[in-house]
Amino acid sequence: MKQGLKFFFIHFFVIVFFVIAAIAYFSPVLQGKVIYQSDIAQYTGMAKEQNDFRKLNDEEPYWTNSAFGGMPTYQLGANYPYNYIKKLDRLIRFLPRPADYLFLYLIGFYILLCCLKVDYRLAVVGALAFGFSTYLILIIGAGHNAKAHALAYLPVLLAGIVLVFRKRYVWGFVLTALAMALEITANHYQMTYYFMLLVLVLGLVYLVYAIKQKQLKHFFISVGILVFAVTLGVATNATALMATKEYANWSTRGKSELTINPDGSPKENTGGLSKAYITNWSYGIAESLNLFVPRLFGGASQENLGEDSKSFNYLIDKGLPRSSALNFVSGVPLYWGAQPGTSGPAYLGAVVFFLFVLGLFLVKGKHKWWLVFGTLFSLVLSWGKNFSVLTDFMIDYFPLYDKFRAVSSIQVILELCVPILAILALKKLFMDKVPHGDKIKSLTYATGTVLGIGVLLFLFKGTFDFVGAADANLRMTGLEELPEMLRLDRKSVYTSDLLRSLAYVLVTAAFIWLYLKEKLKKNLLILTVGVLVVVDLVGVDLRYVNNDNFVSKRKMLEPFQENAADKLIAKDDGIFRVFDQTEGFDSAKTAYFHQSITGYHAAKPAGMQDLFDYHILNGNLSVLNMLNIKYVIRQDQEGNLFPIENPNANGNAWFIKQLKPVTNADAEIMALDSLDTKNIAIINTAKFTEVTQLEYQVDSTASISLTDYEPNHLTYASKNGNAGIAVFSEMYYKNGWNAYIDGRSSDYFKVDYVLRALKVPSGAHKIEFKFEPEVVAKGSKITLASTILLGLIIVGGLGFSFWKPKKEKEV
């Protein structure tokens, strides 16, 4: 009983401590403020129509027409029936955002270390090392909430796997299944996929040890239990996964039918994302050392240098007002690494890095090897195009690897592995059975190795040019030497941060040496290391994510403001699309106020992307007409935005006179060039063989108009003296959109590469398009059954724990 109470109070106060730590770092949440996250601002624009509809009708539309001409909302925060795991997730994340994500980082990693049989005091230090890792804080600042969310559950998932291999089968199963369910709910499958690569490494290492120790039966029992647990956890999210898979095939992540580029040259890759796109964000090989030294390669694309910088003093000497000079140095492009840009370094912490190296010498056994191999594997893969031999192999031959971009983000695996081995090193340091001589030797080797790396970085400093990709753009009249001043500032932060990291290493090594010489108590060393870890990491974190990032809640709820053009367009109460040429293709601002053909998403609708690449960027007005672009927003020489009305927009629907047949996707998209889309539509007869009549009569009295609009239910009234073909300015998406004529289901087909067309009988008719996704209905049944099964297993696990024989409990 006393042990149970002690157990409860220890973990209770640890949880309270983590709550305080998360709130302390993001303290403006106590004032009702929210962190400004650019990606979330874009998401708000994308989801505006969906959220408004949900609020008004208390139901899910599962479709929005406000972005990219129309797309499912499966990856825009759609709510699905029976998603009780999502409700559990919201209960766990009880703190205000973004403190909830930091709390999840901390408690998840603490659970993992406890399952690795680490003392709770060391587990707290490890949790702080993981939670305040600079990359994990950076992604919160950037608004990569789904990524942060998914990463937070990975330690818990790993904890379940560890428990199963420790023969704690029941609770290992429960924790794995529940963590997997929560992980999928977080909705960042790229992070889950990368984690599964680590699990493969772990499994191979465990298999080797199982063979050596003749424990193959236990190994395969554990694997079987884990496969069932993972399957069950995945199944509780069946609706989301099935819907996402369906949409992915329709998006830029799916296989393209096009075999030619816009210029007519052969297309190298038709299987989804190109290698260039996948590897655009590839970590530089030397740049990887910023895991140890934060600003080795400048830090961020926008770094605050302050008044002590060469750049600031140069600007003052050149006569710039102090306010202008401060404004410039507050967002200097200091980064000069291999990536197109970055929000900051993936800094692990000098103390954590040193302890990891100590673990390489001190820790023995299987845990060491899967952590080391996992770290190295993720590091090399993060180099992407800078280590193309492995990257190309993974893209070409490894299942699903080519479905994800920004390969540099696979470093999240080493972000997980490094602090684990660092804490296991401390655990070994405190174990009496480890020979004292081995501890001294390991400390000596680790200190020498890390200091050696520091010395080499000093020696090789002269081999770097410290020139950024955009430096040439900084050469302005009268400020020709500004790029050189920036280069000197990069050299300066390189040296200062290197000295900073080495200082933390020496201090940490000194305290460990004092402990080994019995001049420092164990608890004091743990406290000291914990403080050093936090001060080190938080000191760097605050350079990039701090109180200045917080704004009023309203600014995030309403991230975009109407401009003069938006206000003029808003006076038109029709249903049409707007194309803002000043925003480009990757912006959701227009979608926040109007129906748009642009948006912000990692998996864009492939058809609209193709239209942009092949026609819209080339100014093809006929394509804009068929998309019902009634207004185009432009900018005058003074910077004022104004709308231009397009009198030739085809409208919501129209009858055509002719179907022009083609036999493949290449011919279909190319045929749109200068096509009279009001009278002629392109049909791919290889796909729609049932359409045989190509000529139609359209008399002067023929009409079709949109009479009622909801994002998932469109109603039209048509009148035509002859049977004809009506074309609708809506995206063709066969998996969910159903057509009805006078209440009867009717087949429709695709024309003009992306649009819907329907054969309409003569006379007056009511035409409806309803979005009725079958995938939601099917997935919901699987979700409900799986959730019930998981709940029963959890209840059974609790019963087993409380009712198992007393003797077994004591064992």
Side-chain angles (χ1 to χ4, degrees), residues 26 35-38 40 97-103 105 131 134-145 148-149 545 550:
F26 294 116
I35 192 168
Y36 183 82
Q37 300 170 302
S38 57
I40 300 305
R97 189 171 295 174
D100 58 342
Y101 293 133
L102 180 51
F103 173 75
Y105 289 162
T134 301
Y135 180 80
L136 299 188
I137 298 297
L138 284 174
I139 60 176
I140 292 176
H144 299 168
N145 286 359
H149 197 173
V545 182
F550 283 80

Side-chain angles (χ1 to χ4, degrees), residues 605-646:
M608 186 58 71
Q609 178 73 67
D610 292 339
L611 287 184
F612 256 84
D613 295 341
Y614 287 73
H615 294 288
I616 296 173
L617 291 177
N618 297 325
N620 188 339
L621 293 179
S622 63
V623 169
L624 295 183
N625 293 339
M626 78 179 198
L627 294 173
N628 194 22
I629 303 293
K630 188 174 181 181
Y631 294 97
V632 176
I633 297 177
R634 292 182 177 174
Q635 189 175 43
D636 62 23
Q637 293 182 343
E638 286 74 37
N640 300 312
L641 300 178
F642 62 96
I644 297 177
E645 185 171 355
N646 175 19

Side-chain angles (χ1 to χ4, degrees), residues 4 130 235 309 355 484 652 811:
F130 176 75
S309 61
L355 293 174
E484 177 60 22
N652 303 111
V811 172

Side-chain angles (χ1 to χ4, degrees), residues 55-95:
K55 186 176 181 180
L56 184 65
N57 298 282
D58 195 29
E59 68 173 276
E60 286 293 317
Y62 296 118
W63 186 272
T64 179
N65 290 301
S66 66
F68 297 122
M71 63 183 290
T73 61
Y74 304 148
Q75 284 293 305
L76 290 174
N79 293 321
Y80 300 110
Y82 314 123
N83 197 348
Y84 299 113
I85 297 297
K86 193 168 187 176
K87 293 179 180 179
L88 173 63
D89 169 64
R90 288 172 177 166
L91 184 66
I92 296 170
R93 294 186 296 111
F94 60 93
L95 292 178

Side-chain angles (χ1 to χ4, degrees), residues 205-413:
V205 172
Y206 273 52
L207 176 59
V208 170
Y209 273 81
I211 293 171
K212 286 183 177 181
Q213 298 168 358
K214 298 181 180 180
Q215 292 283 325
L216 282 175
K217 181 181 178 181
H218 162 60
F219 175 83
F220 286 114
I221 288 173
S222 298
V223 170
I225 290 171
L226 289 172
V227 169
F228 181 35
V230 167
T231 302
L232 183 58
V234 168
T236 61
N237 290 276
T239 315
L241 286 169
M242 292 166 63
T244 297
K245 176 63 172 66
E246 179 188 280
Y247 170 70
N249 293 333
W250 188 69
S251 77
T252 52
R253 302 298 175 97
K255 185 175 182 179
S256 174
E257 295 180 330
L258 297 174
T259 63
I260 58 173
N261 292 310
D263 61 2
S265 61
K267 204 172 187 180
E268 292 183 8
N269 175 54
T270 61
L273 303 179
S274 67
K275 285 183 181 178
Y277 185 68
I278 292 170
T279 61
N280 192 30
W281 261 264
S282 296
Y283 235 78
I285 295 175
E287 186 182 352
S288 300
L289 285 168
N290 69 11
L291 297 167
F292 171 49
V293 182
R295 290 190 293 186
L296 201 67
F297 279 74
S301 298
Q302 289 188 317
E303 190 90 17
N304 191 341
L305 278 174
E307 298 182 27
D308 294 332
S309 61
K310 301 283 186 184
S311 298
F312 178 80
N313 291 322
Y314 172 75
L315 293 173
I316 293 296
D317 291 343
K318 286 294 181 177
L320 257 72
R322 181 180 178 82
S323 58
S324 299
L326 279 173
N327 184 58
F328 176 82
V329 298
S330 65
V332 174
L334 205 62
Y335 176 72
W336 56 281
Q339 301 179 85
T342 178
S343 300
Y347 181 57
L348 288 169
V351 178
V352 176
F353 182 83
F354 170 70
L355 293 174
F356 171 78
V357 176
L358 178 63
L360 296 178
F361 297 105
L362 190 57
V363 177
K364 311 295 181 186
K366 57 189 175 186
H367 288 316
K368 170 186 174 177
W369 294 116
W370 67 261
L371 289 169
V372 170
F373 289 142
T375 297
L376 292 176
F377 189 47
S378 65
L379 179 63
V380 175
L381 282 176
S382 74
W383 294 339
K385 60 188 175 186
N386 300 312
F387 197 79
S388 58
V389 174
L390 180 60
T391 299
D392 288 350
F393 172 81
M394 294 293 289
I395 291 173
D396 293 336
Y397 300 108
F398 207 85
L400 302 178
Y401 195 81
D402 63 343
K403 301 300 180 184
F404 305 110
R405 65 189 184 101
V407 292
S408 61
S409 62
I410 199 173
Q411 281 197 357
V412 297
I413 299 306

